[in-house]
C-alpha cells in the first residue's frame, strides 16, 4: 500500500527520496509525489503512474535542491487516482505545512466540516487533507506541538511525515497502526514506512511506536507521546542488506524469490532442530512451554497467502500435536465476537507483520486472554512486537507482491511449531525424528523442483488462452490448491478457483467444459485414490487435467494432459514441494500474457488498512 520516505541531514534529499520511492514501488501504488524544503521555499511535485514519471518531471530542476524532504507512493483509498489526490498534501499555503500520510483518517468528514467553518478550503478528495489543515489550524510556531495536538483529535490509522516552511531543518513523524521507522546513517536521518527504503543510507533503525511523535533534525531526534511525555525509541542494527533486496541477474523479484526458496527454507530450519533426537528448538517460544502443553485450542489467523499457510498449520497441529485447531480470516475473526476459552492460543501468520486485519484480530484475542505466537517474517514489525512470542520465518525480504518464499517459510515454521508442540504432548521421539529427517531433506529437494521453470512455461503456453481455471486438492494439498489459484489470479488476471477436490461435484463441476484447465494436486498420500477418482470426473466432462504428482507415478501421469512431478515426502511436508510448480505456472502465465509480475494491478504487498 502507500509508502513513505523522508530525510533530513547533510546530503541532498532528492536522490535519497527518489531512490527510496523506487524501493517502495513493490508495495503497490498508483501515484507518487515529493516535496523538498530549501532557501527558496517549499517545492512540490506529484504525478499519476510510476515513480519514473515523477522523476522525469523534476529531472534537472534545481529548485528541488535541499536537505529536507518528504515523499510518498499512494494507493488510492479515498478519492480517485489523480494528481490532486496524490501526496504530499499542503495546508493551502497557510503556514506552508506539507504532509505525507499512510492509513485512513476515519473522522475526516467531521474534521473537514469543522475546518471549513474556520475558513479552510480543500483541493482534494482525500481524508489526508483534513489532517494537514488541522495541523495548520493548531500551529503556533512549533510543528511537533501542532502535530501532537492534531493527532489527539484524529481517529483511524496513520503514519505521517510533516514539514513546515517556518522550521526549515525540522522533520516531524508519527504513527498509529501503520508502520513507520527512523533510520540513522552517516549523512543524516531518514523516516520510512519500510526498511527497504532506508537500506542504502541507514545503518541503524528505530521503530516509532503507536501514538508517538518524533521531532527529527540533522543533529538527532526526540520522541514523545501525544501529551509530550518523553518516550525512548530503541535503535537497532538494520537487519537487511542491499544484496538481499536487489534484483541481481533476475528479471523479476518473483523469479528471484522462487529460486531462493531452497536457501530460504534452509535458513528457516537452521539451528532449530535436532533430527537425530527428534527435538525442535524454538528459543522464542520456550518460555511459554508450560502454557503450550496445556493448550486446548489453537487458531491460526491471517489473510491471503498467509491464511493458506495457516490452513496447512491447522492440519499440522491437529495431526502432530492433537490439539483442536482451525484457521480463520483475521478480518472475520475479529468482528464476530470470538469465543476465547482458557487455553486458547492464536497464531497470526504474516510476511510483513503489518497487515491491519491480522494485527487487529490478534489484539482482540489477546484482550480476551489468548496467548499469541507469531509466524512473522519482518523482524521488529508490529505483529512481531505485539505477540507474546513467535518464530521468525528468516526467509529474507520478500519484494514480489505475489508471496512465494514467505509461504514456504510460513509452512516450514508451522511444521517446526507443530512438531515442538507434538513432542511435548503426544509425539514419540522416533515419530518426531522421522518427520524431522524428512524435513531436513526439503531444501535439497526444492532445488530440483524450483528449477522446473522451462517446463512450467511450456505448460502455461498450452493453456494460456483459457480464461477460467480450477485448482483441486485434498487434505494438506487443499490449501495448496487455494494458493495456486490465488497466485494465478494475482499476477495473470486469469479467473481461477481453488477448492477441496470433492467439493467440485457440489456445483463447480458445472463449469467444466471441453479443454478447461483443471490443476489437480494428486501426490501419493492417504487420499491419493480419492483424488484419482476426482481426476476421472474432470476428464469425463472434457476438462484437461494438469497434475502435480509424485515422481514415478505412471498411473496418475496417464490421466493427465500435463504433469509436474515432485519427490515423495510424508504428507505433512508435501505442500512445501507441491506449491512450487503452481508458483512457476502462475509466473509464466503472467509473463505470457504480458504482465509485470512484480507490480500486479490493484494489489498491495502489505495491506495496512482494514
Ligand atoms: C496482501 C498481499 C498478499 C498477502 C496478504 C497478507 O493481500 O497482496 O500477497 O498474502 O496481504 O500479507 P502478510 O504480510 O500479512 O503475509
Amino acid at each position: 500500500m502507500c509508502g513513505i520516505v523522508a530525510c533530513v541531514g547533510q546530503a541532498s534529499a532528492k536522490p535519497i527520496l527518489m531512490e527510496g520511492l523506487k524501493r517502495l514501488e513493490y508495495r503497490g501504488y498508483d501515484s507518487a509525489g515529493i516535496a523538498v524544503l530549501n532557501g527558496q521555499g517549499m517545492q512540490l511535485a506529484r504525478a499519476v503512474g510510476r515513480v519514473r514519471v515523477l522523476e522525469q518531471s523534476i529531472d534537472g530542476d534545481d529548485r528541488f535542491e535541499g536537505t529536507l524532504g518528504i515523499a510518498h507512493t499512494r494507493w488510492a483509498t479515498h478519492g480517485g487516482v489523480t494528481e490532486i489526490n496524490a501526496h504530499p498534501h499542503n495546508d493551502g499555503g497557510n503556514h506552508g505545512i506539507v504532509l505525507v500520510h499512510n492509513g485512513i483518517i476515519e473522522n475526516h468528514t467531521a474534521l473537514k466540516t469543522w475546518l471549513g467553518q474556520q475558513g479552510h478550503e480543500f483541493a482534494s478528495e482525500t481524508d489526508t487533507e483534513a489532517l494537514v489543515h488541522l495541523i495548520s489550524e493548531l500551529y503556533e510556531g512549533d510543528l511537533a506541538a501542532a502535530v501532537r495536538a492534531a493527532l489527539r483529535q484524529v481517529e483511524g490509522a496513520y503514519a505521517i511525515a510533516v514539514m513546515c516552511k517556518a522550521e526549515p531543518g525540522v522533520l516531524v513523524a508519527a504513527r498509529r497502526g501503520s508502520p513507520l521507522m527512523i533510520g540513522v546513517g552517516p549523512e543524516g536521518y531518514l523516516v520510512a514506512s519500510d526498511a527497504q527504503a532506508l537500506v542504502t543510507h541507514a545503518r541503524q533503525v528505530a521503530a516509532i511506536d503507536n501514538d508517538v511523535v518524533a521531532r527529527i533534525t540533522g543533529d538527532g531526534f526526540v520522541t514523545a507521546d501525544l501529551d509530550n511525555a518523553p518516550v525512548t525509541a530503541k535503535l537497532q542494527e538494520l537487519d537487511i542488506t542491499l544484496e538481499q533486496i536487489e534484483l541481481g541477474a533476475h528479471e523479476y523479484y518473483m523469479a528471484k524469490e522462487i529460486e531462493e526458496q531452497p536457501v530460504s527454507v534452509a535458513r528457516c530450519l537452521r539451528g532449530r532442530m535436532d533430527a537425530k533426537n527428534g527435538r525442535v528448538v524454538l528459543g522464542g517460544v520456550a518460555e511459554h512451554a508450560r502454557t503450550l502443553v496445556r493448550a486446548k485450542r489453537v487458531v491460526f489467523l491471517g489473510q491471503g497467502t498467509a491464511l493458506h499457510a495457516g490452513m496447512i498449520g491447522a492440519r499440522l497441529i491437529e495431526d502432530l500435536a492433537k490439539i483442536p485447531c482451525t484457521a480463520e480470516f483475521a478480518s472475520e475473526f475479529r468482528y464476530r465476537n470470538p469465543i476465547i476459552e482458557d487455553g486458547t492460543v492464536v497464531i497470526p501468520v504474516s510476511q510483513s507483520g503489518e497487515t491491519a486485519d491480522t494485527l487487529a484480530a490478534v489484539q482482540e484475542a489477546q484482550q480476551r486472554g489468548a496467548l499469541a505466537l507469531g509466524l512473522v517474517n519482518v523482524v521488529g514489525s508490529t505483529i512481531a512486537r505485539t505477540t507474546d512470542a513467535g518464530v521468525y520465518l528468516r526467509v529474507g525480504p520478500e519484494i514480489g507482491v505475489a508471496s512465494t518464499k514467505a509461504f514456504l517459510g510460513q509452512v516450514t515454521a508451522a511444521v517446526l511449531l507443530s512438531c515442538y508442540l507434538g513432542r511435548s504432548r503426544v509425539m514419540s521421539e522416533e515419530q518426531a525424528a522421522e518427520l524431522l529427517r524428512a524435513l531436513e531433506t526439503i531444501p535439497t529437494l526444492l532445488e530440483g523442483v524450483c528449477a522446473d521453470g522451462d517446463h512450467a512455461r511450456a505448460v502455461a503456453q498450452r493453456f494460456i488462452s483459457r480464461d477460467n481455471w480450477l485448482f483441486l486438492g485434498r487434505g494438506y494439498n487443499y490449501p495448496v490448491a487455494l494458493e495456486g489459484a490465488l497466485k494465478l489470479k494475482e499476477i495473470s488476471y486469469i479467473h481461477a478457483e481453488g477448492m477441496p477436490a470433492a467439493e467440485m461435484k457440489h456445483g463447480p463441476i458445472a463449469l467444466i467444459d471441453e479443454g478447461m484447465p483443471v490443476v489437480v494436486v494428486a501426490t501419493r498420500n492417504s487420499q491419493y485414490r480419492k483424488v484419482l477418482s476426482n481426476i476421472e470426473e474432470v476428464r469425463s466432462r472434457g476438462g484437461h487435467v494438469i497434475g502435480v504428482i509424485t515422481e514415478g507415478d505412471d498411473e496418475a501421469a496417464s490421466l493427465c494432459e500435463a504433469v509436474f512431478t515432485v519427490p515423495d515426502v510424508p504428507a505433512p511436508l508435501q505442500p512445501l514441494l507441491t506449491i512450487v510448480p503452481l508458483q512457476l505456472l502462475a509466473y509464466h502465465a503472467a509473463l505470457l500474457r504480458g504482465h509485470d509480475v512484480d507490480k500486479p494491478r490493484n494489489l498491495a504487498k502489505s495491506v495496512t488498512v482494514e
Side-chain angles (χ1 to χ4, degrees):
M1 304 207 92
C2 305
I4 289 176
V5 58
C7 65
V8 57
Q10 290 80 50
S12 174
K14 188 170 103 176
I16 295 176
L17 298 180
M18 292 313 302
E19 185 196 336
L21 287 183
K22 285 180 197 158
R23 294 202 189 280
L24 290 171
E25 283 191 289
Y26 81 99
R27 294 170 66 101
Y29 70 105
D30 45 52
S31 46
I34 181 171
V36 174
L37 184 57
N38 57 27
Q40 298 169 47
M42 189 77 75
Q43 311 300 330
L44 195 147
R46 302 180 287 199
V48 168
R50 296 286 185 225
V51 168
R52 65 169 184 277
V53 178
L54 175 73
E55 188 173 32
Q56 279 158 8
S57 75
I58 57 170
D59 192 28
D61 187 340
D62 295 342
R63 291 171 305 161
F64 281 83
E65 273 314 312
T67 56
L68 169 62
I70 61 180
H72 192 257
T73 50
R74 173 174 189 250
W75 191 86
T77 55
H78 288 64
V81 180
T82 62
E83 194 182 319
I84 297 281
N85 287 337
H87 299 214
H89 286 285
N90 63 61
D91 64 350
N94 192 15
H95 293 294
I97 295 174
V98 173
L99 167 148
V100 289
H101 164 226
N102 291 357
I104 294 176
I105 307 296
E106 285 169 5
N107 57 339
H108 66 101
T109 311
L111 290 174
K112 276 188 169 176
T113 306
W114 179 75
L115 287 161
Q117 287 158 3
Q118 316 309 309
H120 291 258
E121 285 177 21
F122 300 98
S124 78
E125 302 158 282
T126 65
D127 53 326
T128 302
E129 227 190 336
L131 180 54
V132 68
H133 279 263
L134 181 61
I135 295 169
S136 180
E137 177 65 26
L138 301 171
Y139 185 73
E140 290 175 349
D142 179 346
L143 183 61
V147 168
R148 286 193 298 270
L151 294 181
R152 288 198 293 266
Q153 299 185 34
V154 160
E155 286 162 24
Y158 56 77
I160 56 170
V162 198
M163 52 188 194
C164 170
K165 217 165 156 181
E167 297 177 51
V170 178
L171 175 64
V172 175
R175 75 165 280 211
R176 178 191 297 157
S178 302
L180 201 65
M181 63 194 78
I182 300 171
V184 184
E187 293 174 306
Y189 293 81
L190 294 99
V191 166
S193 51
D194 188 318
Q196 258 98 300
L198 322 158
V199 70
T200 321
H201 301 282
R203 306 278 176 276
Q204 292 180 303
V205 285
I208 299 179
D209 275 326
N210 276 341
D211 295 318
V212 166
V213 176
R215 183 180 187 277
I216 308 156
T217 66
D219 300 322
F221 65 88
V222 285
T223 44
D225 68 14
L226 298 187
D227 297 319
N228 204 19
V231 173
T232 313
K234 205 169 140 233
L235 278 172
Q236 291 181 320
E237 294 307 308
L238 192 58
D239 71 333
I240 56 172
T241 63
L242 207 51
E243 193 198 353
Q244 282 177 316
I245 62 163
E246 300 224 297
L247 259 180
H250 298 84
E251 202 181 344
Y252 290 101
Y253 281 105
M254 187 177 174
K256 177 177 183 240
E257 287 158 9
I258 291 174
E259 200 183 298
E260 280 170 1
Q261 291 182 127
V263 176
S264 307
V265 171
R267 280 181 47 183
C268 183
L269 292 176
R270 195 169 301 146
R272 287 173 163 169
M273 63 178 205
D274 169 4
K276 217 168 104 214
N277 296 306
R279 232 165 68 81
V280 172
V281 185
L282 298 175
V285 174
E287 64 175 293
H288 297 281
R290 288 168 69 89
T291 316
L292 291 171
V293 174
R294 292 195 301 270
K296 293 201 183 78
R297 192 162 79 99
V298 178
V299 183
F300 281 87
L301 299 168
Q303 299 290 143
T305 292
L307 178 66
H308 298 153
M311 292 169 77
I312 294 168
R315 281 165 174 73
L316 285 162
I317 298 258
E318 290 205 344
D319 243 13
L320 307 181
K322 306 291 178 215
I323 310 172
C325 186
T326 50
E328 295 195 41
F329 286 106
S331 55
E332 291 295 315
F333 176 86
R334 185 198 174 187
Y335 287 107
R336 69 169 170 71
N337 202 6
I339 298 166
I340 303 285
E341 296 153 317
D342 196 30
T344 302
V345 178
V346 293
I347 306 185
V349 185
S350 178
Q351 189 288 125
S352 63
E354 303 294 349
T355 300
D357 283 315
T358 310
L359 173 63
V362 177
Q363 288 168 334
E364 182 71 32
Q366 282 178 313
Q367 267 165 29
R368 293 173 183 232
L371 177 76
L373 303 182
L375 302 187
V376 174
N377 192 35
V378 177
V379 176
S381 56
T382 310
I383 295 174
R385 289 189 295 135
T386 302
T387 43
D388 301 290
V391 183
Y392 277 122
L393 309 183
R394 296 193 198 146
V395 299
E398 186 179 72
I399 294 176
V401 170
S403 186
T404 53
K405 65 175 180 174
F407 177 77
L408 260 72
Q410 288 156 355
V411 176
T412 305
V415 173
L416 288 171
L417 186 60
S418 309
C419 210
Y420 177 87
L421 293 177
R423 275 296 285 128
S424 68
R425 300 165 67 101
V426 292
M427 255 179 132
S428 69
E429 185 182 316
E430 191 37 50
Q431 278 172 312
E434 197 181 321
L435 187 75
L436 294 176
R437 276 196 298 269
L439 184 58
E440 230 171 16
T441 67
I442 294 288
T444 311
L445 300 180
L446 273 171
E447 280 171 22
V449 183
C450 292
D452 219 7
D454 290 346
H455 177 55
R457 186 177 177 84
V459 175
Q461 181 81 65
R462 277 177 65 188
F463 296 96
I464 197 64
S465 63
R466 303 296 302 214
D467 289 327
N468 291 293
W469 296 43
L470 284 186
F471 286 71
L472 308 179
R474 281 175 179 252
Y476 281 106
N477 285 318
Y478 155 49
V480 172
L482 294 180
E483 176 61 9
L486 179 65
K487 288 285 88 76
L488 191 66
K489 287 186 255 215
E490 282 180 318
I491 54 174
S492 74
Y493 319 143
I494 292 171
H495 175 241
E497 271 191 66
M499 66 196 67
E503 178 64 11
M504 175 191 65
K505 286 195 289 294
H506 299 282
I509 197 165
L511 296 171
I512 299 177
D513 60 1
E514 190 57 41
M516 181 187 198
V518 181
V519 179
V520 187
V521 187
T523 41
R524 285 200 188 273
N525 53 39
S526 62
Q527 304 197 46
Y528 169 72
R529 287 274 148 215
K530 305 264 180 229
V531 179
L532 290 198
S533 305
N534 299 132
I535 291 182
E536 294 287 11
E537 288 154 10
V538 172
R539 280 161 51 90
S540 54
R541 272 124 196 125
H544 284 181
V545 175
I546 302 167
V548 178
I549 63 172
T550 308
E551 272 170 10
D553 183 355
D554 297 335
E555 183 184 356
S558 69
L559 302 176
C560 301
E561 290 286 319
V563 290
F564 292 96
T565 60
V566 294
D568 195 14
V569 293
L573 307 183
Q574 288 181 2
L576 291 167
L577 302 180
T578 52
I579 189 56
V580 178
L582 308 190
Q583 296 169 341
L584 290 167
L585 192 61
Y587 174 77
H588 287 289
L591 288 187
L592 288 166
R593 288 205 167 196
H595 304 311
D596 181 339
V597 294
D598 285 339
K599 299 190 188 76
R601 72 182 180 207
N602 304 338
L603 291 188
K605 179 70 181 155
S606 170
V607 179
T608 49
V609 295
E610 284 182 49

